[in-house]
Amino acid sequence: MGWSDSKIFWCNFLAIIPLANLLGFITEDISLRLGSTIGGLLNASFGNAVELIISVVALKNGQIRVVQSSILGSVLSNLLLVQGFCFFLGGLRYSEQNFNITAAQTSASLLALAMLSLLVPAAFMSSIENEDALKSGILNLSHGTALVLLIIYIMYLVFQLKTHSHLYADDLEDNEEVSQSTLLVSISTLVIITLLVAISADYLVGSIEGLVDDWNISKTFVGIMLIPIVGNAAEHVSSITFALKNKMDLCIGVAVGSSMQIALGMTPLLVILGWILGEPLTLFFDTFETCVLVVAILIVNYLISDGKSNWLEGAMLLASYSIIGMAFFFYPENNYANSVPFKSSI
């Protein structure tokens, strides 16, 4: 049709948003039929399906920079933007809101572990001068760390769905719903929507190069600020709705829980997939990106440590996200390319 890359990007960008909403609805519908344990596992697996599909397509195309920035952007979006709006809008209606501090701190502690998994490769990079040793070392370190993180994530699922499910009982009680369709229809719809998302993701990723040139923006900004909107739009709306209904445990579950799933589940899975495909995706992020993520996790951990929230805390999270967004808009792309040992894959 002779469309420009910018038009292709924005058309598929807008197309994926309702598909993500439908994917979340169908996944929830299937989980209602399979019981709390299997249903919870299904929700955990498909909770970030859109981000995973986009990242897999980008990884297959060798777009390492897009994969890493979309991972970082999804975590920051959930922690600061989604949770910020929840705290802020919920705090305007209620002077103070409470949530399950034990479950929240468990997720926050796991996020701290994810933070460690990024700090160690960054320190490793700054400590070795031999480039050949650096390339093999950072890849091997990332592969080993990814396996450890996946094991921890599986253990967390056992903790949440089996051994300590009582800590998350309120989430289940607040979500008592009835399935809207038959299991066969739901599964068929899930497969069709997943295929449609994959097709749109392929076009979206393929048009990023042209978008970057046309709009004079960096791939990092596209991955960190734009792509997370695609996969998280439905979650953003639902979590804000929960906050306005004073269901803060569900808000924390969406914001912090989703970030933790990305950091401990999706990220190591992508690193291992890159290992299989021969793409050098590592857990080394640019120093600036690592610092931003560390500060964001520390801020969130501090704010949820008392099990209470108010509108001012939400405003602080939104302000943090705005500052980070401006920083990445002005951050030069070539600065990243000069700091990594795999320039040919950026």
Side-chain angles (χ1 to χ4, degrees):
M1 296 184 348
W3 284 17
S4 66
D5 284 336
S6 295
K7 289 182 179 179
I8 293 174
F9 178 89
W10 290 113
C11 283
N12 286 280
F13 180 91
L14 295 174
I16 290 177
I17 292 177
L19 288 174
N21 194 7
L22 286 173
L23 187 63
F25 174 80
I26 293 299
T27 302
E28 183 68 26
D29 191 77
I30 295 175
S31 68
L32 291 173
R33 291 182 170 275
L34 300 179
S36 59
T37 301
I38 299 178
L41 183 60
L42 185 67
N43 275 324
S45 301
F46 281 85
N48 297 289
V50 174
E51 294 97 322
L52 180 60
I53 292 171
I54 293 175
S55 296
V56 169
V57 172
L59 183 62
K60 181 175 65 70
N61 294 338
Q63 297 272 17
I64 304 295
R65 181 84 288 257
V66 174
V67 177
Q68 288 190 321
S69 58
S70 63
I71 290 171
L72 179 64
S74 295
V75 174
L76 291 175
S77 175
N78 280 300
L79 285 180
L80 301 179
L81 184 64
V82 178
Q83 193 162 243
F85 271 120
C86 287
F87 284 6
F88 183 74
L89 296 178
L92 292 178
R93 175 169 289 190
Y94 307 95
S95 61
E96 188 174 81
Q97 295 178 288
N98 301 303
F99 47 85
N100 186 332
I101 188 172
T102 304
Q105 287 188 337
T106 299
S107 296
S109 299
L110 289 169
L111 275 177
L113 175 62
M115 179 175 67
L116 174 68
S117 71
L118 299 184
L119 284 174
V120 171
F124 186 90
M125 281 284 295
S126 63
S127 302
I128 297 179
E129 297 181 358
N130 184 287
E131 187 171 341
D132 292 334
L134 183 61
K135 286 183 179 181
S136 61
I138 198 69
L139 274 174
N140 292 332
L141 174 61
S142 296
H143 295 159
T145 303
L147 292 173
V148 173
L149 291 180
L150 275 179
I151 293 173
I152 290 295
Y153 180 64
I154 293 172
M155 296 172 96
Y156 165 73
L157 291 179
V158 174
F159 178 88
Q160 181 187 30
L161 302 174
K162 197 71 177 175
T163 63
H164 289 71
S165 58
H166 60 279
L167 296 176
Y168 305 88
D170 289 342
D171 291 5
L172 299 176
E173 291 172 4
D174 287 336
N175 259 338
E176 289 182 356
E177 299 176 7
V178 179
S179 177
Q180 302 295 315
S181 62
T182 65
L183 184 61
L184 179 61
V185 171
S186 296
I187 293 177
S188 300
T189 306
L190 180 66
V191 172
I192 293 172
I193 293 175
T194 302
L195 289 175
L196 290 175
V197 170
I199 293 171
S200 291
D202 192 32
Y203 280 106
L204 183 140
V205 171
S207 62
I208 287 178
E209 292 280 359
L211 177 77
V212 167
D213 294 334
D214 292 344
W215 288 58
N216 196 27
I217 55 179
S218 67
K219 289 183 183 179
T220 303
F221 182 79
V222 172
I224 289 179
M225 305 305 294
L226 297 182
I227 290 181
I229 296 176
V230 174
N232 296 331
E235 291 178 340
H236 290 190
V237 175
S238 62
S239 60
I240 291 172
T241 302
F242 291 142
L244 294 175
K245 294 180 180 179
N246 203 26
K247 297 180 178 180
M248 294 306 293
D249 284 327
L250 292 174
C251 292
I252 298 296
V254 170
V256 180
S258 182
S259 297
M260 186 271 303
Q261 287 175 10
I262 293 170
L264 293 182
M266 191 177 90
T267 302
L269 186 63
L270 287 170
V271 171
I272 293 174
L273 182 60
W275 188 5
I276 295 172
L277 296 176
E279 294 290 345
L281 177 63
T282 72
L283 291 174
F284 169 70
F285 286 65
D286 180 52
T287 303
F288 174 66
E289 295 175 352
T290 304
C291 292
V292 166
L293 184 60
V294 168
V295 171
I297 292 176
L298 290 177
I299 290 174
V300 171
N301 284 4
Y302 182 77
L303 291 181
I304 68 176
S305 62
D306 60 352
K308 301 176 183 178
S309 67
N310 55 62
W311 66 265
L312 181 59
E313 292 181 345
M316 287 189 285
L317 291 175
L318 292 175
S320 301
Y321 188 76
S322 300
I323 294 171
I324 290 172
M326 287 188 289
F328 278 112
F329 181 79
F330 294 111
Y331 192 68
E333 184 75 19
N334 62 337
N335 198 70
Y336 175 85
N338 293 331
S339 66
V340 297
F342 308 109
K343 298 184 180 69
S344 60
S345 302
I346 302 304

